[in-house]
Amino acid sequence: MGENKWMGKRWEDMDTDVLVKIFKELNLVELSPVSQVCRLWRLACADPLIWGTLDFGLLKSNFIQTRASPYIWVDDRSDKRLAKILRVAMAISRGNVNSMIFHYNLFMKDEHLHFISERSPHLKRLVMPAWNRITKSGICQAIQRWQELESLTMPTIGQPPYILEEIAMSCKNFTELKIMGSFDLPFALAISQYLPKLKVLSLRCSKVTMSALICLLTSMEYLEILNISHCLLLDIAANGKRQVIHELDDQTLEKASRLREFHYCQSRSCIACQRMMVDEGIMRWYRYEDWFWRQDEVRSLDLHDYGKLFDAGCERLTSVD
Amino acid sequence: MGGNDPTETKRPPHPSSSPTAPQIPSPISGPSYHPKKKKPSTQGSGGAAPRRRGLSLYFVRHSSPSDAFPSLVDSNDVPCRPTPSRHTGSDADASLPVDRGSAVTRRPTPSGRRWILLLSRCSFTKQVLTRLSPFFSLAPGNHVRERVSSNKTGAISNLECFTLAQCELIDELCQALKTYIWLQCSDGSIQQVEEEVAMFCPMICREIVKNGTGSSKNHAIVLPERVNPASLSLILDYCRFHQVPGRSNKERKSFDEKFVRIDYEKLCKLASAALSLQLRPLVDLTCGALARIIGGKSPEEVRDIFHLPDDLTEEEKLEPLENINDDPTIRLLNRLYAKKRKELQERQRLKDVQVQEEQKDERSLDEILCFINGDGGSGGGKTTKNKKKNKRRKDHAKNSAKANPGPVNKEGASGGNSCKSDSGNISRLPCQSQNVQDDIEFPFEDCESDDGLDPAMKEELDREVEDFARRLNLVWPERMHLGQDRRIGSHLW
């Protein structure tokens, strides 16, 4: 709170500073009655300092995998619980959320997405690694509402061009993308077509084809930071044969040298790379530590700890078990 | 007298340039001894104490690299100003002049220079004793005799000291040798505080360093207006404790815990003051304590504790800020209750309008007719006027009307009673809520999305929504005011 010019501020303003500092220590469940106390407190509860990053990394769906699309079934109570939590969060925060982070096992539906996109119009960063139950139109509408979106972390989807197109149309400040899953040449082409001004791209722990990588390095002029750490690099030969590439050749490295930051694994001996090999290119995050999926070599993409708003205590209090 | 070693005959260095600043353990209020502390020595010249009967004070420069320990030696022969030429820090054993049977010997350590405090013939108060206890173990009785043998770190050696006659003298000396910073509170009162204590606070530190204020009464540092004298004294206590480097974490933690056990108002003021002084550790401490107090209490309890007004309107309280462990039945009842209340409000409003109208019977027929038409839809007129608002706020209306749980269970209970009589009227609502469960939770004002409702149901919904919107427009001006109150408010639906 270094902006305090202690000479000229009104008493009410100062009071709110202290209130905000206090409320920062509380989680969602505790903030709910606090916002009912009085008008001043309700306003202080909605302060952007508290809600800047809304990290739901501890919130997961109760789900099973199925054979038919969407391959995930979530029980109703889990959905309702998510709905409640989002409702409370959106109500107290009053649109001041800048960054929302969801777990890879949090399978939300269109309605949830709709809800949050309406009530956080100024969202700048979204981390949502699970799109199984979201429809095309659902995500497109949400993106249309998030015109200030700058950073997106998404899973690999079937036909990426439509979403990239949507982002290009609605989000003028979009600079940062992280893909979790796999990355092939059509995807790369779509990015270079629709998001030519992309600055930061992370493909960490994904399956990446060499042709896609080359495409990125040649056609993305504005790209500043590229992260292919722990990626399984595949080269698909003309006869369809796949071969894992363990070392980048000089030509690629030279192309990458113009980037401000190029993260890649020089040796295959790091733990994450070994895990990739074991999981055959599709990282099974659930097998590993809680924080493993949240890491990123790119500083702006790295997710730190879970924050106070939805902490372990809050998770316990809201559980439906 | 000690030998006059030529190398040791230098005068004491200028206070500001002394590399290792000696620290006089203040008997009463100052910080305790910390040997490694470096600060501009202000007591280098030391000769501040006047000569008094029965006691003279004398500074001896002693050679040691690290320890800084100002020394006073009882001696009638020695003038008050230090004249190291007389007393040297040589390696040779030098015994200092003493009188009246108080013998002081000291064996200086091989290297460096420092000040040694030797006290003799004073009745020690408890505080003085504790201050000096690291260096003196206390023998029973009034006399304090101690031999401190030299060790590798260069501690003072072979020191003997005795009770002094006047410890106020020492105190005065110490006070005179210390630097004080002058601070002015919000109420205009000026007080002085030891420099090292004040420097613990970043804002004051900055003021001293950058602006040079605080050195005298006339140039006192003006503290932010949130710092009242009571808070300031608490803050200074905090600083005084924590700026001592020699304390263990456990000690600090237990001090902190005890420190925040004050009543809530004081704690709030303290947090406020600490924030304005940018004293980060204290801010974290106080705000954490306050958060622990607030967390888990109901709104009424919090209002009682902090004497806050209950100034949220009923409708605002019913905004979708439910208790997260709420029971859906109670939520539904709250919703019905809220709706009922709105109906009553609406009826009241119409009554008021009617009362107004009765006074206007002088008007022409046309006007009356207009009025009648307007009245039948005076709600309607409002609708057309506020259609934009309605459209824009439809989702909010829907949201607060339908997903409208109250956090307090007792409301639901009483609401339940009043709703029973009206159940015929609003019996529609429950089954609607079943069908459009999702709708209640997540309003669907964009019809293009497939929400599973057939057009008839949708129409009903629309009507219902407009109804609510109209009623909510009663309290719309208030909400607008709420929105303009703060910079954040513009994000209201």
Side-chain angles (χ1 to χ4, degrees), chain B residues 135-404:
Chain B
F135 296 91
F136 307 103
S137 67
L138 304 176
N142 271 340
H143 292 281
V144 175
R145 302 178 77 129
E146 186 57 30
R147 276 186 202 279
V148 179
S149 53
S150 70
N151 57 31
K152 292 197 191 84
T153 61
I156 49 175
S157 57
N158 277 1
L159 202 60
E160 286 196 37
C161 72
F162 297 83
T163 55
L164 280 172
Q166 292 158 4
C167 62
E168 300 98 53
L169 186 64
I170 300 168
D171 190 24
E172 224 182 275
L173 174 67
C174 294
Q175 298 277 5
L177 295 173
K178 229 187 254 298
T179 329
Y180 281 82
I181 303 294
W182 297 85
L183 303 170
Q184 184 174 1
C185 283
S186 52
D187 65 346
S189 63
I190 302 181
Q191 66 179 85
Q192 56 173 339
V193 73
E194 297 91 338
E195 185 185 15
E196 54 274 337
V197 173
M199 294 285 271
F200 193 71
C201 171
M203 198 216 82
I204 296 179
C205 192
R206 215 178 306 137
E207 283 290 312
I208 297 173
V209 171
K210 268 167 74 181
N211 303 347
T213 42
S215 50
S216 72
K217 205 162 181 177
N218 297 329
H219 301 287
I221 298 175
V222 181
L223 297 174
E225 64 178 81
R226 281 199 277 181
V227 185
N228 58 352
S231 299
L232 181 63
S233 76
L234 283 170
I235 291 174
L236 291 175
D237 287 341
Y238 182 86
C239 290
R240 196 166 289 130
F241 184 88
H242 279 283
Q243 58 94 18
V244 178
R247 299 209 199 267
S248 72
N249 282 341
K250 206 172 156 196
E251 276 181 3
R252 291 182 195 263
K253 219 174 159 200
S254 74
F255 174 85
D256 285 347
E257 276 166 28
K258 289 201 205 95
F259 191 70
V260 287
R261 282 199 215 135
I262 53 181
D263 70 80
Y264 302 130
E265 294 272 0
K266 273 203 211 133
L267 195 55
C268 281
K269 294 262 157 58
L270 179 62
S272 195
L275 192 58
S276 62
L277 288 175
Q278 296 161 18
L279 192 53
R280 181 81 186 272
L282 186 57
V283 173
D284 290 342
L285 176 66
T286 44
C287 289
L290 283 164
R292 276 192 300 276
I293 295 169
I294 293 171
K297 294 209 163 60
S298 80
E300 292 89 39
E301 287 172 14
V302 175
R303 259 180 245 132
D304 280 334
I305 293 172
F306 294 97
H307 312 296
L308 294 163
D310 186 2
D311 58 358
L312 288 166
T313 65
E314 287 301 326
E315 168 269 321
E316 280 172 331
K317 284 193 190 157
L318 289 170
E319 270 177 20
L321 287 175
E322 77 224 49
N323 190 353
I324 207 155
N325 297 317
D326 212 350
D327 183 354
T329 347
I330 294 179
R331 261 208 340 263
L332 187 64
L333 288 171
N334 285 336
R335 233 176 280 150
L336 299 175
Y337 181 54
K339 184 172 175 185
K340 178 73 180 155
R341 255 209 296 231
K342 282 175 179 62
E343 281 173 6
L344 290 170
Q345 275 180 348
E346 174 72 13
R347 253 175 249 149
Q348 185 64 36
R349 197 189 60 80
L350 288 171
K351 241 191 271 174
D352 292 338
V353 173
Q354 273 173 5
V355 163
Q356 275 183 354
E357 284 180 338
E358 271 154 28
Q359 297 160 0
K360 296 167 188 166
D361 46 4
E362 253 88 63
R363 282 142 135 266
S364 74
L365 187 64
D366 286 318
E367 288 187 56
I368 292 171
L369 277 171
C370 278
F371 240 110
I372 291 170
N373 285 337
D375 181 29
S378 73
K382 258 206 155 93
T383 310
T384 47
K385 237 198 300 177
N386 300 327
K387 222 172 178 75
K388 247 193 232 165
K389 270 193 203 165
N390 277 357
K391 266 202 147 42
R392 230 183 339 135
R393 305 302 157 191
K394 224 197 239 192
D395 20 318
H396 180 64
K398 260 200 213 181
N399 205 16
S400 59
K402 300 213 174 199
N404 208 354

Side-chain angles (χ1 to χ4, degrees), chain A residues 122-154:
Chain A
H122 304 281
L123 195 76
K124 295 196 169 61
R125 180 176 185 193
L126 178 67
V127 174
M128 200 159 68
W131 286 17
N132 302 53
R133 296 164 90 206
I134 292 177
T135 63
K136 274 190 190 177
S137 57
I139 187 68
C140 284
Q141 276 167 37
I143 300 275
Q144 277 165 14
R145 278 187 218 105
W146 282 324
Q147 308 225 319
E148 296 178 34
L149 193 69
E150 292 171 9
S151 171
L152 176 66
T153 299
M154 62 182 272

Side-chain angles (χ1 to χ4, degrees), chain A residues 29 35 68 110 141-142 149 161 198 203 220 246 254 261 263 291:
Chain A
V29 173
S35 63
D110 275 350
Q141 276 167 37
L149 193 69
L198 194 68
L203 306 171
M220 302 284 293
H246 293 282
E254 207 203 296
E261 272 177 53
H263 302 270
W291 43 261

